[in-house]
Amino acid sequence: MRNINNIKNFDNFYDVNNKNNDNINNNSDIDFNSNSNSNSNSNSNSNSNSNSNSNNDNIMKDGSNYRNSLDNMQIPIYKVNKPHFTKNEELLLNEIRNSLVDLAISSENEFNLDEKELFNDIKNFIEKKIFIENKIGVKQYNNGEKLNFSKEYIDNLSKICFQDIIGYGEIDPLLNDDDLEEIMIIGTNKPVFVYHRQVGMMETDLVFSNENKILSLIDSIARQINRRIDQQSPILDGRLNDGSRINATLSPISADGPTLTIRKFKKDPLTIIDLILLNTMNSSLAAHLWLSVDGLGVKPSNIIISGGTSSGKTTTLNSLGNFINPRERIITIEDTLELQIPHEHVLRMETRPKNIEKEGEIIMDDLLKNSLRQRPDRIIVGEVRGKEAITLFTALNTGHSGFGTLHANNSRETINRLINPPMEVPKIMISAIDMIIMQNRIYRSDGVSIRRVTEVSEVVGMEEGTIQLNKIFQWNPKNDNIENIQVTSQALQEIADIKGITMNDLNNELIRRKAILDFMVENNIRSNDDVSNVFYQYYNNPDEVLQLISQINE
């Protein structure tokens, strides 16, 4: 990579004073060993306060009319710790940006942004602009005035400039907070909103007073992901490098100006143990799903996870991946990559939109048909919603196993959506589904939402043209627990019949697997690696794992 110090001359030294040293030193270190430059402690970047009345003094000037209309709604305030530059520091930052633009233009297609080299270039650039000589200390500067620039100041100013250039500007602290699920920019002179995993909807003290800043941010993201957004194509849907899903709109689609919504995913994904700890499901249901997904190697279940938007369908689908035998080959197919299946042998496929010439589109149905030529043991479709449903059910009816998610409010509605336009799956093919898991997002009185598996139903056949469902688990809102309401399960009975064992044997296996899950919950064995390791060991030597757990519990 060519050095940016070669682009500009340094005859005019940069005038900076030390009054912002304390602010600069508060910024986090940069880790070049990871893809993310996020802070290890998100609390250093933000402070969420559940009492909005105590934050009235912090109300922003921009968008004050909008804020006043919300004063009585008790929306918690999220304070964004933004870096503050002096005027001279901003001039330096702009000069660095211009140097990078010049470098990119002069390099044409050969420009390659190496982050570590870029950071060193920025640091060298700042040192040369600040110092007359290449050493740190007190220097003769500006009409005989002496200023002290510490090494720590130079390092931290370099880090802030680096993050400002490669990151997403003012929303970087929000992107770096792993406790946030959603970041929502709703227009100019209005506060940016966030959805916090523990607190719920929050209003930040960040306001974009200039529409061009929002447009610049959206345009930067679009270029990064090789997508187009303009007046002719005013909707952008895609994902960032860290997997976060983004959606942007421009006027006239969004009447109040440009909007940007970013759905973030945890850097440490939730596992089946987390879902039990969060009471999304209990260990009895988790054990049942484990046995159904595994199928004892003879009859793995085909499962559809249904629910509303942001109900946790993808998270539950990811967690079911822990149960898949490590010997299996998995192919995932999505419009936008969201799935993080904790499995070694996974092929991830993503659809492609049309290019500027309206050509080159690859839809989900194309990827599904192609996946059948790749010898999959499992096909996982991120979201079933169009004609790819017929291809998926054709695969399920010809011996392949699969999962998928679908938007619906209950099990019966899930079936109705599948058999009616635009999916139009023939009723006779619906029996390929073994069970439907319903998941819902439920709001509490304090505004915080919880996710719950509210029912699990099996598809048990068809009678007089109507597809029959057998509900085996039902959520009880009175005690906030998912309960087994059926003695028998057709999916488990089929496993027992094919395996040549009795239902009593299968029930004993359920008890053993529940004991393992309970042990992991009690000992907080919850990371993806640890959970997968326990399951892999169980598949290899179940008796040894059970014996080890028994010894630890004694």
Side-chain angles (χ1 to χ4, degrees), residues 337-538:
L337 290 180
E338 292 181 311
L339 292 172
Q340 299 169 290
I341 303 297
H343 199 279
E344 187 170 347
H345 195 163
V346 179
L347 276 67
R348 303 173 72 203
M349 303 293 173
E350 185 178 33
T351 61
R352 186 176 69 185
K354 297 177 182 178
N355 57 25
I356 298 176
E357 290 78 26
K358 305 298 182 182
E359 297 176 350
E361 182 182 29
I362 298 176
I363 62 175
M364 194 171 286
D365 193 45
D366 297 328
L367 294 177
L368 253 173
K369 291 175 180 176
N370 184 69
S371 72
L372 299 178
R373 306 183 185 100
Q374 296 176 299
R375 200 198 173 281
D377 293 305
R378 307 266 180 160
I379 300 173
I380 301 178
V381 179
E383 184 177 336
V384 183
R385 56 187 171 202
K387 64 179 183 179
E388 72 275 359
I390 296 179
T391 305
L392 174 63
F393 274 81
T394 300
L396 299 182
N397 275 278
T398 54
H400 296 85
S401 297
F403 303 151
T405 68
L406 188 145
H407 282 89
N409 295 314
N410 54 57
S411 299
R412 179 57 60 186
E413 185 178 316
T414 300
I415 298 297
N416 289 336
R417 285 209 62 203
L418 285 169
I419 63 178
N420 287 295
M423 298 186 223
E424 295 185 292
V425 177
K427 287 185 178 181
I428 196 170
M429 299 177 73
I430 295 296
S431 60
I433 303 175
D434 292 293
M435 66 178 65
I436 299 170
I437 300 173
M438 287 304 310
Q439 185 153 327
N440 287 297
R441 184 178 189 177
I442 300 164
Y443 286 91
R444 302 190 316 215
S445 58
D446 59 3
V448 178
S449 64
I450 57 176
R451 274 88 170 185
R452 294 291 184 266
V453 173
T454 53
E455 68 176 84
V456 178
S457 298
E458 293 182 327
V459 178
V460 294
M462 190 161 58
E463 186 175 316
E464 296 181 353
T466 301
I467 296 165
Q468 301 298 305
L469 299 174
N470 175 38
K471 189 179 294 184
I472 55 177
F473 283 88
Q474 176 73 52
W475 180 62
N476 186 341
K478 292 182 179 179
N479 58 16
D480 190 18
N481 189 40
I482 184 90
E483 300 172 347
N484 190 341
I485 60 174
Q486 276 289 346
V487 177
T488 60
S489 163
Q490 177 171 296
L492 297 187
Q493 184 64 61
E494 290 178 354
I495 293 172
D497 292 342
I498 298 173
K499 189 71 175 179
I501 59 177
T502 66
M503 278 303 295
N504 187 54
D505 294 331
L506 211 57
N507 288 330
N508 288 334
E509 179 63 20
L510 272 175
I511 293 171
R512 287 191 290 270
R513 297 194 181 200
K514 182 180 183 301
I516 292 172
L517 292 168
D518 288 335
F519 173 81
M520 295 168 71
V521 169
E522 291 166 6
N523 292 275
N524 199 34
I525 302 172
R526 53 142 311 272
S527 72
N528 254 323
D529 289 341
D530 290 342
V531 170
S532 295
N533 185 47
V534 172
F535 291 157
Y536 289 179
Q537 289 186 46
Y538 185 78

Side-chain angles (χ1 to χ4, degrees), residues 113 115 165-168 175 217-228 236 239-244 246:
L113 188 65
E115 291 188 3
I165 289 170
I166 70 160
Y168 298 97
L175 287 167
L217 177 60
I218 293 172
D219 187 55
S220 174
I221 292 173
R223 288 197 308 270
Q224 184 185 94
I225 64 176
N226 295 317
R227 297 286 176 92
R228 173 188 176 188
L236 172 68
R239 60 180 173 86
L240 302 179
N241 290 334
D242 66 357
S244 300
I246 62 106

Side-chain angles (χ1 to χ4, degrees), residues 129-143:
K129 292 295 282 184
I130 290 179
F131 298 127
I132 297 175
E133 300 174 8
N134 287 327
K135 60 182 180 179
I136 296 174
V138 177
K139 300 295 175 185
Q140 193 72 19
Y141 205 85
N142 282 354
N143 300 322

Side-chain angles (χ1 to χ4, degrees), residues 228-242:
R228 173 188 176 188
I229 182 168
D230 51 31
Q231 293 299 318
Q232 290 184 330
S233 303
I235 298 176
L236 172 68
D237 194 42
R239 60 180 173 86
L240 302 179
N241 290 334
D242 66 357

